[in-house]
Each structure stands twice: as C-alpha cells, then as structure tokens.
Amino acid sequence: QKEVEQNSGPLSVPEGAIASLNCTYSDRGSQSFFWYRQYSGKSPELIMSIYSNGDKEDGRFTAQLNKASQYVSLLIRDSQPSDSATYLCAVTQSGTYKYIFGTGTRLKVLA
Amino acid sequence: SAVISQKPSRDICQRGTSLTIQCQVDSQVTMMFWYRQQPGQSLTLIATANQGSEATYESGFVIDKFPISRPNLTFSTLTVSNMSPEDSSIYLCSEESRLDEQFFGPGTRLTVL
C-alpha cells in the first residue's frame, strides 16, 4: 500500500515566523509532488508543485524535494493568520497520473 | 486553471435513495476525477472519468454504487446509489490540466439520514 505521511498537527507558529510542513512518501517511483491548502469547509487549492530535487520558490512559499530520502516539505515565510488552514501533500503514484494524498497538517498562525 | 462548478453544493438525503452530482468545467479537459473526503479525513480517489470510455474505479469502489458518466470533455456526473449514513461525505471533482496538476471543484457536502 503506497502511503503519504504527514504530521496531523496542529502546528502553531506566531505571525511573521516560518512555518515548516513535512511529508514523507513510500513510493520510490513517484515523480510529481504537490501541496494543497484547504480552508475549513472549502475544497483543496493547489499552491505548489515540484518535480525535481531541490527547492522551488513562489512568493512566500518554498517547496523542497529530496527523492533519495522520499521527503517533500513546504516552507511558508512571514506566516500570516490567513495561512491558517490544513495543508495536504499529494504524490503521484508511480507510472500513473493518480494522486495519493496525505492526511494533512493543520497549521495555526497566531496573531 | 479551468473554472469548475459542482451541483448541488450540499444535500440531505434519506437512506436508500440516490443522488447525482454534476461537475462542469469551463474548458475542455481530458481527465476528470471524483474524490471522497470523509469528515476529518483526507481525499480518497473514487474513479477516473475519461470521455468516451468507461470510468476506472479504485479499489473499494464499484460502478453499481458510484456510476459515473462523462458525455463530453466539459461535464461529468457521479451518482451515489442506495445511500447509507456511511456515504455522508464531501464529494469533489477535479480536472487535470497540465503537468499532472489537478484543480478541484467546490465540492458537494452530502448528509445521509
């Protein structure tokens, strides 16, 4: 059974701090990796995608991928209360287009 | 990304009935997906809906329970049949536009009494 693991949290950080969200996956053949943000009562919103080892930055968000360690992370700089949400890691199953989702990490940014 | 709408946004249904959920995309897309998100849990893929072919179901989901239609490149329906309280969930459709990226509709919140 292919799995994607995330700490459920909640992860609490003060406003302005860096929030670090982590995700590990079991499928060595996974090629595509995504971070979604889901506000309570809303559907998931894609915030980052990453396909190769290293860092990818987009505004206040940085995704980091290490395929050897089967680890993908999301850093949120200058965290704002509006960043408070559940962050879902999704990984494509090797050889397919299908996503496997982690259970999500709930982030709380304290004003 | 395409704009995706779903109908209904929520419904309360009686045990043993069926509900059809519609998903409309504002541009043509090849692949559409149906997911279930049970309370407090993550997303589970129900099936992949491809235009012109039968839907491909994931383990644990069967066509008799969750029939899917995909009549064209912008529309799909998911029916939840013979509902029980265990079917209470949020049902989400998504489309894959490029680079494996999926974008989700707003979801349908279903409560079965």
Side-chain angles (χ1 to χ4, degrees), chain A residues 47-82:
Chain A
I47 53 172
M48 289 289 285
S49 57
I50 187 166
Y51 304 95
S52 55
N53 283 327
D55 295 0
K56 179 182 177 183
E57 186 174 320
D58 184 0
R60 295 187 297 113
F61 299 100
T62 299
Q64 299 174 317
L65 175 62
N66 183 326
K67 289 186 179 179
S69 300
Q70 295 174 243
Y71 176 95
V72 58
S73 65
L74 180 70
L75 301 178
I76 306 175
R77 288 182 299 282
D78 188 24
S79 295
Q80 301 297 309
S82 59

Side-chain angles (χ1 to χ4, degrees), chain B residues 2 27-28 47 49 62 67 82:
Chain B
S27 60
Q28 294 184 339
V62 294
N82 188 24

Side-chain angles (χ1 to χ4, degrees), chain A residues 32 36 38 49 51 99 102, chain B residues 37 42 58 99-102:
Chain A
S32 306
Y36 285 82
Q38 187 173 28
S49 57
Y51 304 95
Y99 282 16
Chain B
Q37 187 173 29
S42 192
E58 297 302 302
L99 293 175
D100 295 341
E101 292 179 342
Q102 289 187 29

Side-chain angles (χ1 to χ4, degrees), chain B residues 55-110:
Chain B
T56 303
Y57 289 83
E58 297 302 302
S59 176
F61 298 96
V62 294
I63 187 170
D64 290 346
K65 176 68 175 176
F66 297 102
I68 288 170
S69 77
R70 180 82 196 273
N72 56 52
L73 291 173
T74 64
F75 187 77
S76 180
T77 67
L78 169 76
T79 299
V80 186
S81 302
N82 188 24
M83 287 184 285
S84 67
E86 292 71 35
D87 295 319
S88 297
S89 189
I90 298 172
Y91 292 86
L92 294 147
C93 67
S94 72
E95 59 90 5
E96 181 182 290
S97 57
R98 64 183 182 92
L99 293 175
D100 295 341
E101 292 179 342
Q102 289 187 29
F103 297 91
F104 286 85
T108 296
R109 184 179 295 270
L110 171 63

